[in-house]
Amino acid sequence: FRQLVRRLALVAEWHAARLWAQRDRRLTRDGRYFTRLRLADGWRGMAILRSKHAAADSPASQLTFTPDWWRARLAHVLANRHAADGADCKDSHSARVWRTTLAHPETSLPIIVKQPRARSGWRRVVQWLPPSRSRRGWARGHALLHRDVRTARPLAYLERRVGPFVRESVLICEALP
């Protein structure tokens, strides 16, 4: 019986790892939960449409978004990324992070916008290579959520490229208290 229980636990771990990998691959495809976005000035990225499982402590997980809604809101965020549109949480040599809100028909959604910066010439060269810091944050944030680790929900990421090189990127996460 003990050997059977050990074997079942091993198979359950293997199955969970396969499910997590399958969910991680879903992050970069259009579907019922995520959408690809193309905006003006060469910005490309992904955004969340809805969450499969709503969480009580995450207002964004209880909302449904549309690609057109995202295009309108993200155009505003990108237009004001150099201005003091929201309250700066961090403005340093490595990143600019600010807090603002997105107007949703059901509620006003508080968000955190993260724009990575290069600390040095070497970092600038490294950040030109894909995947961008914002895209890695998007993937890691959702991977943690898929594994039931509580974290701020990544709502969207955008990056602007020149050929294969990432010129700049932005990550938008849900603001949690």
Side-chain angles (χ1 to χ4, degrees), residues 118 120-130 165-166:
S120 65
W122 173 247
R123 282 279 191 190
R124 189 170 292 118
V125 170
V126 169
Q127 285 185 12
W128 284 341
L129 303 174
F165 303 110
V166 178

Side-chain angles (χ1 to χ4, degrees), residues 144-161:
L144 289 171
L145 289 170
H146 292 155
R147 288 151 179 82
D148 296 324
V149 177
R150 293 174 43 142
T151 187
R153 185 174 303 276
L155 300 176
Y157 86 88
L158 295 171
E159 56 188 20
R160 186 161 54 169
R161 293 178 175 224

Side-chain angles (χ1 to χ4, degrees), residues 36-170:
R36 290 183 185 160
L37 296 174
R38 289 177 176 244
L39 301 173
D41 296 331
W43 288 96
R44 307 278 188 265
M46 295 290 295
I48 189 170
L49 294 176
R50 65 182 177 138
S51 297
K52 187 171 185 176
H53 303 290
D57 59 345
S58 172
S61 70
Q62 301 166 11
L63 300 174
T64 302
F65 305 99
T66 64
D68 292 331
W69 182 88
W70 274 116
R71 284 185 195 93
R73 298 312 172 279
L74 292 176
H76 175 72
V77 169
L78 291 174
N80 295 319
R81 72 185 182 282
H82 299 296
D85 159 328
D88 271 341
C89 299
K90 176 182 176 183
D91 192 4
S92 72
H93 61 280
S94 63
R96 176 169 181 241
V97 180
W98 69 96
R99 180 183 295 262
T100 187
T101 59
L102 293 178
H104 191 271
E106 297 177 31
T107 185
S108 179
L109 185 64
I111 62 168
I112 299 287
V113 183
K114 301 175 183 181
Q115 183 178 17
R117 295 179 181 162
R119 292 184 290 208
S120 65
W122 173 247
R123 282 279 191 190
R124 189 170 292 118
V125 170
V126 169
Q127 285 185 12
W128 284 341
L129 303 174
S132 66
R133 281 179 63 187
S134 298
R135 184 175 181 154
R136 289 191 312 261
W138 164 266
R140 285 182 186 148
H142 282 290
L144 289 171
L145 289 170
H146 292 155
R147 288 151 179 82
D148 296 324
V149 177
R150 293 174 43 142
T151 187
R153 185 174 303 276
L155 300 176
Y157 86 88
L158 295 171
E159 56 188 20
R160 186 161 54 169
R161 293 178 175 224
V162 176
F165 303 110
V166 178
R167 185 170 165 195
E168 58 183 321
S169 65
V170 174

Side-chain angles (χ1 to χ4, degrees), residues 26 28-36 46 49-50:
R26 188 185 314 154
T28 57
R29 292 184 281 200
D30 279 332
R32 95 179 78 156
Y33 302 112
F34 304 103
T35 186
R36 290 183 185 160
M46 295 290 295
L49 294 176
R50 65 182 177 138

